[in-house]
Amino acid sequence: AQSVAQPEDQVNVAEGNPLTVKCTYSVSGNPYLFWYVQYPNRGLQFLLKYITGDNLVKGSYGFEAEFNKSQTSFHLKKPSALVSDSALYFCAVRVMDSNYQLIWGAGTKLIIKP
Amino acid sequence: DAGVIQSPRHEVTEMGQEVTLRCKPISGHNSLFWYRQTMMRGLELLIYFNNNVPIDDSGMPEDRFSAKMPNASFSTLKIQPSEPRDSAVYFCASSFPTSGFYNEQFFGPGTRLTVL
């Protein structure tokens, strides 16, 4: 069965420190992976995606994610956290043979403390 | 572009009443999605339209829910009759034509529905 897991409900990071939000997946075949961010009282916003190619994907707001096939992970990273990065982050994986359906993680709340 | 537009932003209604949520996708996008978000169940896909045609409605919880897309620029999600367990945030999202196998979705701000 296909699945995506975000093992941490919440991540706390001090401003200026690097941050990592974890995501692991289980799919058959090549995965298409996505990160979205949700700010309070807002809809989800696309951050970045991995389809193929370079394992390090760069996205919006200085975020990047590293695809690791052997560990079936797609962790979201940023070298220096900002207080404004505080939000809910969702990882998602495309359902195989679908051009529209995603399996969504439960979300990780990221809190950046000044 | 103004992005995906949803109305109303907040809706409070009483059990048994009809509720209609509205969505205007981004111009040029041919795929439209309705999602429901709750603390307990997370983000759930309710229905997916492509070129105004419902392709997958397997996520619609029951017959009380219905969705329409009469044209490329408008969609509605209707709940009749509404129940307290329908209380959630409902998101509409749209996506542009796929030349590859998947393109990212653009979400509206959501409608927060409270059924008393």
Side-chain angles (χ1 to χ4, degrees):
Chain A
Q2 298 179 161
S3 65
V4 60
Q6 294 181 244
E8 301 155 317
D9 292 335
Q10 183 169 310
V11 171
N12 298 295
V13 178
E15 186 178 25
N17 283 1
L19 70 87
T20 298
V21 183
K22 296 179 180 178
C23 173
T24 60
Y25 65 90
S26 175
V27 298
S28 54
N30 295 320
Y32 289 7
L33 297 153
F34 304 82
W35 277 102
Y36 284 77
V37 60
Q38 184 179 24
Y39 298 101
N41 301 313
R42 302 282 296 276
L44 280 72
Q45 295 179 36
F46 169 77
L47 276 179
L48 50 81
K49 65 182 176 183
Y50 172 83
I51 304 297
T52 187
D54 195 345
N55 289 344
L56 186 64
V57 179
K58 294 187 182 297
S60 307
Y61 311 121
F63 284 93
E64 58 188 27
E66 186 170 11
F67 171 65
N68 188 316
K69 188 173 184 177
S70 62
Q71 297 186 5
T72 62
S73 67
F74 189 55
H75 300 332
L76 182 70
K77 300 180 179 183
K78 188 173 182 180
S80 178
L82 301 172
V83 173
S84 57
D85 293 329
S86 299
L88 190 57
Y89 290 80
F90 291 92
C91 181
V93 63
R94 179 186 62 89
V95 171
M96 278 300 295
D97 300 326
S98 171
N99 66 347
Y100 67 91
Q101 194 165 3
L102 295 175
I103 298 173
W104 294 88
T108 298
K109 186 175 184 179
L110 177 64
I111 297 176
I112 308 300
K113 299 183 178 179
Chain B
D1 200 313
V4 176
I5 299 172
Q6 290 187 249
S7 64
R9 292 293 309 275
H10 302 273
E11 178 80 29
V12 180
T13 190
E14 293 187 347
M15 182 174 62
Q17 297 298 306
E18 177 180 298
V19 175
T20 299
L21 311 181
R22 297 172 176 78
C23 173
K24 176 179 170 56
I26 293 173
S27 177
H29 285 195
N30 71 338
S31 296
L32 185 137
F33 309 79
W34 281 101
Y35 287 93
R36 178 171 67 177
Q37 185 181 39
T38 61
M39 289 292 293
M40 290 297 295
R41 301 173 68 90
L43 196 63
E44 304 172 277
L45 177 64
L46 300 177
I47 188 167
Y48 161 63
F49 290 88
N50 189 48
N51 291 325
N52 312 337
V53 176
I55 302 300
D56 182 355
D57 65 354
S58 60
M60 297 286 263
E62 48 199 275
D63 292 345
R64 296 185 298 106
F65 286 69
S66 63
K68 294 181 179 180
M69 191 165 185
N71 56 62
S73 59
F74 184 66
S75 177
T76 60
L77 178 68
K78 183 178 294 185
I79 309 172
Q80 165 64 13
S82 58
E83 297 182 2
R85 60 194 168 116
D86 301 330
S87 297
V89 181
Y90 291 82
F91 289 105
C92 175
S94 68
S95 181
F96 51 86
T98 303
S99 58
F101 210 45
Y102 192 88
N103 278 327
E104 57 270 24
Q105 297 173 18
F106 293 78
F107 282 73
T111 296
R112 182 174 297 276
L113 173 65
T114 302
V115 183
L116 302 174

